[in-house]
Amino acid sequence: MAKKRHLTALTALAAAAALALAGCASGGTGGTGGGGDTDGAPGGDKGTITLGFLPSWTDGLSTAYLLKDQLEKVGYTVEMKTLTEAGPLYTGLAQGDVDIYPSAWPELTHKSYMDKYGKDIEDLGAYYDNAKLTIAVPEYSELTSIEDLKGKAAQFDGKIIGIEPGAGLTKQTQESMLPEYGLEGEYELVTSSTAAMLTELKKATEAQKDIVVTLWRPFWANDAFPVKDLEDPKGAMGDPEALHFLATKGFTEKFPEAAELIEGITLDDEQYGALEDLVVNQYDEGQEAEAVAEWVSKYPDAFPTEIAE
């Protein structure tokens, strides 16, 4: 059961992403009427908080439902807004159409977005401090380092399979890794979506074929597929960084209790891994609340107060 949701339903994930993208195209990132699906929760009288996230980036998917659970417990109404690219999400955050981005990479991976929108964004702090970008191949590959890709393009059809064009991982690979290792012109970075990349990775590993993909940690796919990170002796994929909760400017003043709650959440490797596994793998789509409830019962110490109860 652990792998069912994403190993056998990647087409459903891609369809959901396409629907979210259609929402972006028709309604921009503004309000609850466009920019993706919204899922308003009944209850809270302390105001409405909108969480914006990319469903295929499961760090944000997992923490979005964690924040939804916690914020509703203290009396807020939470709306969920799904998008398919980081750029529109940062735009929505800066414009106030999204209140919280629950898993951002602002230090390195999303630095260009922070340079552009940072003055209209509040950083509510880091919840996890060991995230990194990677280039990966199947475990059965003889390659051990990114340097080993040189001269072997034919083995991989001259392609590195990437994710969304606007992702920080895409930018890092295209602008840093490829030129740093002299791979420009030899390899094409193929961009599409996270779901499409995972589909190609699944097909290749099941057939024991060669493939190179862009990945990151933490991410459930590193455990679900037989893959390994290629060493990066030149440091072209960047240093490890922290995952942050970002808010639209003025959020702390408007929602001080919510800000205090969010700022106090920190997760270690075990806690984060368990959260993502439960939300993404152990429970089916639509059962995120149940997944979070089970996680909260196991890790109440992840919160600074008794709210988790």
Side-chain angles (χ1 to χ4, degrees):
M1 177 179 179
K3 298 178 183 179
K4 178 178 69 173
R5 179 173 175 184
H6 280 281
L7 297 189
T8 64
L10 288 173
T11 54
L13 185 92
L19 286 173
L21 183 58
C24 289
S26 61
T29 57
T32 59
D37 301 325
T38 56
D39 179 14
D45 58 4
K46 292 184 178 180
T48 299
I49 295 174
T50 302
L51 305 181
F53 63 102
L54 285 66
S56 61
W57 295 7
T58 49
D59 54 318
L61 171 73
S62 303
T63 51
Y65 280 98
L66 174 62
L67 291 189
K68 183 177 190 290
D69 172 85
Q70 294 297 290
L71 291 169
E72 288 178 349
K73 285 177 178 174
V74 296
Y76 295 96
T77 295
V78 177
E79 293 184 345
M80 309 291 269
K81 183 186 289 290
T82 61
L83 298 100
T84 58
E85 287 275 5
L89 180 47
Y90 273 92
T91 301
L93 190 64
Q95 294 177 346
D97 300 321
V98 172
D99 293 309
I100 296 288
Y101 180 2
S103 188
W105 302 55
E107 299 169 356
L108 299 171
T109 305
H110 293 167
K111 185 178 183 301
S112 62
Y113 293 123
M114 290 301 290
D115 289 343
K116 183 174 183 179
Y117 300 112
K119 63 182 176 56
D120 295 314
I121 291 174
E122 291 183 12
D123 190 342
L124 299 182
Y127 74 87
Y128 179 82
D129 63 4
N130 194 34
K132 64 179 182 177
L133 306 179
T134 66
I135 300 297
V137 295
E139 289 179 345
Y140 48 78
S141 173
E142 295 181 356
L143 277 60
T144 60
S145 169
I146 297 176
E147 291 179 316
D148 297 336
L149 290 171
K150 187 72 173 176
K152 296 184 176 67
Q155 188 174 332
F156 302 96
D157 294 325
K159 298 176 180 178
I160 295 174
I161 308 301
I163 58 172
E164 290 77 6
L169 173 57
T170 299
K171 179 181 176 69
Q172 189 74 22
T173 303
Q174 191 74 60
E175 298 182 6
S176 179
M177 188 280 284
L178 290 174
E180 186 68 25
Y181 285 96
L183 301 177
E184 289 180 307
E186 186 177 357
Y187 288 87
E188 174 194 2
L189 177 60
V190 179
T191 60
S192 178
S193 68
T194 300
M197 178 275 290
L198 293 175
T199 297
E200 291 301 312
L201 181 60
K202 180 176 185 289
K203 287 166 51 180
T205 52
E206 286 181 345
Q208 294 281 296
K209 292 185 176 180
D210 291 317
I211 189 171
V212 185
V213 298
T214 61
L215 277 178
W216 63 94
R217 294 180 182 273
F219 186 33
W220 65 271
N222 292 288
D223 295 320
F225 296 101
V227 294
K228 63 182 180 182
D229 298 341
L230 291 179
E231 296 173 6
D232 180 16
K234 297 180 183 292
M237 296 304 292
D239 296 324
E241 60 180 305
L243 301 181
H244 291 238
F245 295 123
L246 298 184
T248 190
K249 186 176 182 179
F251 180 86
T252 299
E253 182 178 354
K254 185 177 181 181
F255 301 112
E257 185 179 358
E260 182 179 5
L261 167 63
I262 294 168
E263 288 170 351
I265 297 175
T266 58
L267 306 180
D268 59 26
D269 286 335
E270 178 186 346
Q271 292 167 333
Y272 175 84
L275 175 64
E276 188 177 56
D277 182 55
L278 283 166
V279 173
V280 177
N281 296 322
Q282 299 299 329
Y283 284 80
D284 291 330
E285 187 173 356
Q287 296 181 315
E288 292 85 2
E290 291 90 337
V292 169
E294 179 176 337
W295 184 88
V296 168
S297 70
K298 292 180 178 179
Y299 297 99
D301 294 340
F303 304 93
T305 71
E306 70 281 0
I307 293 173
E309 302 295 330

